[in-house]
């Protein structure tokens, strides 16, 4: 756990551990404390607190308190953002109608393929496992260069469900275009952008709104919770339409 730039808390020993633990459990109160208050609360001496502060890289206790306050605000902001990942505005009012259509298509299909790359690949695998549990002949394809066309050559009533937050994944888009005029395959997408290229190739789009987040230019931190919610809602809709028993 990183603490104000101190990345190796496991190396703390003796009274430092007591101070560290006390701060973690009373984080919101630290900015209001004096050295003696923290020392009393952690059952250590004032000098032990000051040595701890210096070990954390701060020259004074006031400077340390400012850092505590700043980190507390950042933590609260992250928590609030996490709690609000799903709101009333996340999904369109027509979502259940679209889920009903997709569930009907899936139940009538011989093969259901979930595909996606990056973090969407993990959701595709989860979706495949979930629908397979419901008795659907389902499997994931997380490699956009997988020879899917030869595998489906002698089949009919296939459903290809693509997961993509941006709806612009070039490799996935290239794979979908191979099925664009294939009468035996129905294309469906779960995406954060209804007007994206992948969505435009799809017969039905299960869409949601989310804020894409990236760090260092390309590392994706965008939440997959909206997509996971749609996948689970689809599974429930399939189960209801198929009238599968509850246990």
């Amino acid at each position: 756990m990183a603490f104000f730039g101190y990345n190796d808390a496991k190396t703390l020993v003796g009274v430092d551990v007591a101070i560290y633990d006390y701060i973690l459990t009373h984080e919101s109160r630290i900015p209001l404390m004096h050295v003696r208050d923290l020392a009393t609360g952690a059952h250590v001496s004032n000098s032990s607190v000051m040595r701890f502060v210096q070990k954390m890289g701060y020259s004074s206790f006031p400077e340390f308190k400012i850092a505590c306050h700043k980190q507390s605000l950042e933590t609260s902001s992250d928590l609030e953002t996490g709690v609000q990942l799903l709101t009333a505005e996340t999904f369109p009012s027509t979502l259940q109608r679209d889920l009903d259509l997709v569930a009907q298509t899936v139940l009538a299909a011989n093969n259901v393929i979930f595909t996606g790359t990056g973090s969407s690949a993990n959701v595709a695998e989860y979706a495949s496992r979930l629908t397979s549990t419901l008795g659907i002949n389902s499997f994931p394809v997380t490699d956009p260069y997988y020879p899917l066309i030869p595998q489906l050559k002698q089949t009919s009533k296939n459903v290809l469900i693509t997961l993509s937050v941006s709806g612009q994944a070039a490799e996935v888009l290239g794979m979908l275009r191979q099925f664009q005029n294939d009468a035996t395959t129905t294309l469906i997408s779960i995406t954060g952008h209804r007007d994206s290229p992948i969505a435009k190739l799809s017969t039905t789009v299960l869409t949601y709104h989310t804020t894409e987040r990236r760090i260092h230019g390309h590392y994706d931190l965008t939440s997959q919770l909206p997509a996971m919610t749609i996948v689970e809602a689809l599974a429930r809709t399939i189960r209801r339409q198929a009238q599968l028993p509850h246990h």
Side-chain angles (χ1 to χ4, degrees):
M1 179 181 203
F3 182 73
F4 308 125
Y6 193 79
N7 295 303
D8 198 2
K10 293 181 180 179
T11 64
L12 296 175
V13 294
V15 296
D16 288 341
V17 174
I19 297 170
Y20 183 85
D21 289 342
Y22 183 83
I23 291 172
L24 289 183
T25 54
H26 301 82
E27 184 177 352
S28 62
R29 294 170 53 189
I30 301 303
L32 305 176
M33 289 184 172
H34 298 291
V35 172
R36 65 177 177 275
D37 298 325
L38 178 51
T40 300
H43 304 292
V44 301
S45 66
N46 291 0
S47 58
S48 294
V49 171
M50 290 310 302
R51 283 194 294 271
F52 177 87
V53 168
Q54 291 170 359
K55 183 176 290 187
M56 293 298 107
Y58 301 97
S59 59
S60 67
F61 192 69
E63 182 185 358
F64 176 73
K65 290 200 299 180
I66 291 173
C68 279
H69 182 59
K70 181 179 178 181
Q71 177 157 312
S72 179
L73 290 176
E74 291 175 349
T75 301
S76 298
S77 176
D78 288 344
L79 178 59
E80 182 179 356
T81 300
V83 170
Q84 295 179 349
L85 280 174
L86 296 181
T87 67
E89 290 74 33
T90 301
F91 306 104
S93 59
T94 58
L95 178 60
Q96 188 55 59
R97 181 201 66 188
D98 295 334
L99 284 168
D100 287 334
L101 291 173
V102 173
Q104 292 172 16
T105 303
V106 166
L107 285 168
N110 294 322
N111 300 289
V112 178
I113 306 99
F114 288 91
T115 186
T117 59
S119 56
S120 292
N122 297 323
V123 185
E125 291 177 338
Y126 174 69
S128 176
R129 182 180 181 88
L130 199 60
T131 50
S132 292
T133 302
L134 298 175
I136 305 298
N137 184 29
S138 173
F139 61 93
V141 172
T142 57
D143 176 2
Y145 302 106
Y146 180 82
L148 189 56
I149 288 181
Q151 183 170 345
L152 299 178
K153 188 175 182 180
Q154 303 301 323
T155 65
S156 61
K157 292 187 178 180
N158 302 309
V159 177
L160 181 55
I161 302 178
T162 303
L163 292 112
S164 173
V165 176
S166 68
Q168 299 182 31
E171 297 87 351
V172 175
L173 190 57
M175 179 181 72
L176 295 183
R177 283 178 175 145
Q178 298 178 64
F179 294 92
Q180 188 172 0
N181 299 311
D182 185 350
T184 66
T185 303
T186 300
L187 301 181
I188 294 169
S189 60
I190 300 176
T191 177
H193 295 272
R194 178 175 288 278
D195 296 325
S196 64
I198 286 176
K200 289 179 179 179
L201 285 177
S202 305
T203 301
T204 305
V205 183
L206 301 176
T207 189
Y208 55 87
H209 173 74
T210 190
T211 300
E212 294 185 46
R213 302 182 186 278
R214 296 182 182 274
I215 59 173
H216 306 306
H218 57 275
Y219 295 124
D220 192 359
L221 289 178
T222 305
S223 173
Q224 288 286 350
L225 188 56
M228 292 283 284
T229 301
I230 287 179
V231 164
E232 296 199 352
L234 176 60
R236 290 194 297 271
T237 303
I238 291 171
R239 185 175 186 177
R240 172 173 52 80
Q241 289 193 8
Q243 297 182 334
L244 295 174
H246 292 263
H247 296 287

